[in-house]
Amino acid sequence: MKIKTMPSKLIIGFLIVTMLYSSLLFYSFTQKDLKDELLIHDVSRLFPEKIMKIVEGKEQESIEEAVRNARENNLKISIAGTRHSQGGHAFYKDSLWIDMSHYNKIVDFNEQEKTITVQSGVTWADIQEYINPYNLSVKVMQSSNIFSIGGSLSSNVHGRDPNFGPLIETVQSFRLLKESGTVLNVSRTENEELFPLVIGGFGLFGVILDVTLELTTNDLYIAETVKVDYHDYPAYFVEHIRNNPDVGLHFARLSVPTNLLLEELYMTTYKKVGSDVSKSLTEEQIAELLPLHDEKNVRRDKFVFGLSRHYDWGKALVWKIQQKFYAMGKEEEIISRNNAMRPPIQFLDYYSPKDTDILQEYFIPVDNFSQFVDELREIVIEDKLNLLNVTVRYTPANDEAYLSYTNHDTFALVLYFNQGFTEEEVKKMEQATQKMVDAALTLDGKYYLVYQLFPTDNQIRQAYPEIDSFFEMKNKYDPNERFMNNFYERYAKR
């Protein structure tokens, strides 16, 4: 029998492409350095800003001193954690910049009440490490654990548990350092007007010092992945996922290769392990499931995903691999909630002098999901956008935060793009973003304020009609505009 082999020219060509891409990838890692430490970037590196001074807030006293110094010298203050917001929320020109990443201690923990109090520089990974031995887990966090709690609170993030809305639902209280130097306790019953303003307020009202969060049980889940037509996804979700007490986590992905652009969807659901299954597990098996797992195969995954930035066949390869490991994955694979909430993220780290990755997010009412997907496809094709990934998460209605993005039950579409640094590339993405925002607004949706400042003044006011009253409240609590960032500078009518 004659065995078919790949033509030698094709093999050589593939090896050359692989070697060239590997060289580019290696070169990109050497470009991480930002020689001017006062030139501050967010993770996208698109809009750097020169600040005046960096203060590392390691103790409360040093943060208070920084605020006092700014007040006495009439300086603006900007605040940052891990700098993953991409709309200039974490810096401002010539400001005194407080780096909260070193303010990262666990303040209090109550196993019985299932609460934890942490300083705002603590990351979700820090919390997971601390509470995992007690078989507890967080209720709401992003799909990665690398972000700071203060930054997450300031952005009012949401997660992948369909039983919870945005982070504000799980916050009991926090302490806020005001411009005057006063420290306030803020909750739903104490200084309550500030509670919905600061959560999702992007650091414009003061410095969040520490936060008390509600926790939940670190349940064991069985992960199941199902392929479904994206037109049928909303109905399927409403019937099988929403309000299902057995569901712990849920998300979906849409295809991005050109020949399948936003045509295929598979969804992954983590269901609680039933008593019959849990009883069948031995102590040794449970002991293997509960420890936290670190991310594996980072270099391999980074290389493979990197191919999708530059080649459509790379996108097709990534999608095929995702289907193999998820859509055709093992049945009855058991995982703890904490480990399910520690998905791979390091492989997405990308530093290139030529281009960068950005995120955007659109909240679309459940019934309008498929129509938005169709309109999004047209925009991606028309504007020739380099779309790398689309993740879908459910966000139940919650309007507690002043700048709420979940006034309806919505699907959040998280879009991951690659774009160049040139003025032309930035302008192209700005114009495309405005088209996507219009598409969302037409369908009674919204966009997430955490990302680029591309939407127009009219668009932000249509999406968030309370934005001007929000800015008025900022002036009420911070009349000297001590706490500043580029988001406020861009959209506030002053």
Side-chain angles (χ1 to χ4, degrees), residues 79-189:
I79 311 164
T82 60
R83 285 182 279 167
H84 276 76
S85 60
Q86 299 177 23
H89 308 85
F91 38 78
Y92 186 73
K93 183 180 179 181
D94 296 328
S95 66
L96 187 155
W97 187 72
I98 304 179
D99 177 3
M100 299 294 291
S101 61
H102 302 282
Y103 190 66
N104 55 2
K105 295 179 181 177
I106 306 294
V107 177
D108 187 48
F109 171 65
N110 190 317
E111 182 180 4
Q112 288 69 38
E113 296 293 329
K114 296 182 180 178
T115 61
I116 190 167
T117 302
V118 299
Q119 293 178 339
S120 58
V122 164
T123 66
W124 294 110
D126 296 331
I127 292 181
Q128 288 179 327
E129 294 283 351
Y130 192 92
I131 66 178
N132 192 67
Y134 301 93
N135 202 34
L136 292 174
S137 179
V138 299
K139 287 184 175 179
V140 174
M141 57 171 262
Q142 301 94 316
S143 59
S144 172
N145 59 9
I146 65 174
F147 308 106
S148 71
I149 305 305
S152 298
L153 204 70
S154 296
S155 304
N156 192 26
V157 303
H158 65 96
R160 299 189 298 167
D161 189 330
N163 301 294
F164 299 108
L167 180 61
I168 193 171
E169 289 186 2
T170 74
V171 179
Q172 286 194 352
S173 63
F174 56 89
R175 290 194 309 140
L176 183 74
L177 172 61
K178 294 181 61 183
E179 186 260 359
S180 63
T182 304
V183 176
L184 298 179
N185 295 315
V186 182
S187 69
R188 291 176 178 84
T189 58

Side-chain angles (χ1 to χ4, degrees), residues 201-352:
F202 302 114
L204 291 171
F205 294 83
V207 183
I208 299 171
L209 294 175
D210 45 57
V211 184
T212 299
L213 299 167
E214 298 173 353
L215 304 173
T216 189
T217 306
N218 183 30
D219 293 318
L220 294 179
Y221 297 142
I222 294 179
E224 176 188 49
T225 302
V226 177
K227 187 175 182 180
V228 63
D229 189 300
Y230 73 94
H231 296 95
D232 301 329
Y233 177 57
Y236 186 100
F237 180 89
V238 170
E239 181 178 356
H240 298 283
I241 307 299
R242 187 167 67 179
N243 300 323
N244 185 339
D246 294 327
V247 172
L249 300 171
H250 175 86
F251 65 91
R253 295 189 195 279
L254 282 159
S255 55
V256 295
T258 300
N259 64 323
L260 296 172
L261 184 60
L262 306 180
E263 294 285 355
E264 293 186 346
L265 178 147
Y266 65 82
M267 55 186 187
T268 300
T269 305
Y270 294 85
K271 294 183 178 180
K272 296 178 183 178
V273 169
S275 58
D276 54 335
V277 176
S278 59
K279 288 179 182 178
S280 67
L281 295 174
T282 66
E283 291 185 4
E284 290 77 11
Q285 288 174 318
I286 294 176
E288 291 178 0
L289 291 169
L290 293 181
L292 297 178
H293 302 159
D294 293 324
E295 187 173 348
K296 299 178 180 179
N297 304 313
V298 174
R299 291 185 178 181
R300 180 201 67 188
D301 296 345
K302 185 187 293 287
F303 173 77
V304 173
F305 187 79
L307 293 172
S308 68
R309 291 186 176 93
H310 304 284
Y311 311 104
D312 193 61
W313 61 263
K315 291 182 176 63
L317 175 63
V318 170
W319 183 247
K320 185 175 182 180
I321 291 173
Q322 286 178 332
Q323 287 182 310
K324 179 180 179 181
F325 285 95
Y326 294 103
M328 304 173 191
K330 297 178 181 178
E331 294 294 331
E332 307 299 311
E333 183 178 1
I334 300 176
I335 188 172
S336 71
R337 178 182 175 93
N338 279 336
N339 278 312
M341 295 175 75
R342 289 167 67 90
I345 189 69
Q346 292 182 51
F347 78 95
L348 294 176
D349 289 345
Y350 183 62
Y351 299 89
S352 167

Side-chain angles (χ1 to χ4, degrees), residues 38 49-53 74-78 91-97:
L38 295 180
E49 197 70 83
K50 187 71 173 287
I51 60 167
M52 190 202 70
K53 182 180 179 181
N74 196 27
L75 302 174
K76 302 300 184 183
I77 297 172
S78 55
F91 38 78
Y92 186 73
K93 183 180 179 181
D94 296 328
S95 66
L96 187 155
W97 187 72

